[in-house]
Amino acid sequence: MDGNGRWAAARGLPRVEGHRRGVEALRRTVRAAGDLGIGYLTIFSFSSENWSRPPSEITDLMGLLRRFIRKDLVELHKSNVRVRIIGERDDLDRDICLLLQEAEDLTRNNDGLTLVVAFNYGARQEIARAARKLAIEVAAGRLSPDDITSEHLGTHLHAPDIPDPDVIIRTSGEQRLSNFLLWQAAYSELVFVPINWPDFDRTAFESAIEEYRRRERRFGGLAANSGS
Ligand code: FPP
């Protein structure tokens, strides 16, 4: 959800206004994803590195998350959305941890869209955490280093049951992953959209999906028409 700050700066508004409009874009995108029959939508809403932002902006972002869960959770539940959270919870305020837990608990049995909120999330941190868990198993003598496979490491990530993303859409014209789902993105198609997140709408979403559909995915194999 990149470009909130630039959207606000272009209009002479404070950054928080960009983030507020970003939450509206999120609501639109969740509705569109449900309508398009998408199974999983993961949003990168606060990275492990975002703690380096000014304290006032961090307070604003935490406030917006609180408000989003308090205001939108019932609606999400009614729409059969299941909410999952990935990221480290240890550094978060206790009331935020409780809200995140409440969102997961309330929507646990919903079988529509799964909305995965990456909050206080960093992919390298996630992989290091998985490696630590494997190291503990090895140290306890329950696992031999020779038995560690990529599948095995994958089971120690935050949400191992969630499929790898088919497509990652980044807004605002930036063309990098910025520590987002590095493990899971091994074969994801990347689509870069040159508009700021607050302007992201159903049309932009659909055209990003269209671009993804035109890609040929080979997963390291050969193209269908590459001959014998
Ligand atoms: C990227 O824009 C956006 C963020 C770092 C924060 C997005 C998070 C929220 C809107 C908080 C609410 C969260 C939920 C789940 C409701 P940027 O600030 O990096 O923009 P810039 O690159 O233009 O400065």
Side-chain angles (χ1 to χ4, degrees), residues 6 30 58 61 63 103 107 135 143 220 223:
R6 276 163 286 168
V30 170
I58 291 173
L61 291 172
T107 62
L143 178 69

Side-chain angles (χ1 to χ4, degrees), residues 1 26 30 33 38-46 65 68 76 81-87 89 100 103-104 107 112-119 121 126 158-165 180-181 184:
M1 304 196 289
L26 171 61
V30 170
I38 288 169
Y40 297 85
L41 174 71
T42 302
I43 52 154
F44 201 4
S45 54
F46 192 86
L65 175 74
F68 177 71
L76 290 169
V81 172
R82 180 170 182 192
V83 179
R84 302 277 300 270
I85 317 290
I86 55 171
R89 305 213 189 166
L100 297 179
E104 288 194 313
T107 62
L113 170 74
T114 296
L115 172 65
V116 186
V117 180
F119 199 83
Y121 174 83
E126 179 183 32
H158 286 304
D161 55 310
I162 292 179
D164 292 344
F180 182 61
L181 298 182
Q184 299 86 339

Side-chain angles (χ1 to χ4, degrees), residues 48-62:
S48 311
E49 290 72 31
N50 284 152
W51 292 107
S52 66
R53 295 194 175 200
S56 60
E57 183 164 348
I58 291 173
T59 305
D60 289 338
L61 291 172
M62 296 295 160

Side-chain angles (χ1 to χ4, degrees), residues 136-213:
I136 290 169
E137 286 184 39
V138 169
R142 291 194 297 269
L143 178 69
S144 157
D146 293 336
D147 292 335
I148 297 176
T149 59
S150 61
E151 286 77 18
H152 197 170
L153 191 143
T155 63
H156 289 284
L157 299 174
H158 286 304
D161 55 310
I162 292 179
D164 292 344
D166 289 317
V167 56
I168 295 180
I169 303 169
R170 183 164 186 165
T171 54
S172 90
E174 304 290 0
Q175 301 195 354
R176 54 178 176 268
L177 285 175
S178 298
N179 207 14
F180 182 61
L181 298 182
L182 297 181
W183 181 275
Q184 299 86 339
Y187 285 100
S188 302
E189 294 295 328
L190 308 182
V191 175
F192 300 108
V193 178
I195 62 172
N196 290 324
W197 175 251
D199 289 329
F200 193 76
D201 58 10
R202 185 177 289 252
T203 308
F205 196 11
E206 285 178 357
S207 74
I209 304 279
E210 263 319 299
E211 180 171 340
Y212 157 73
R213 288 210 174 106

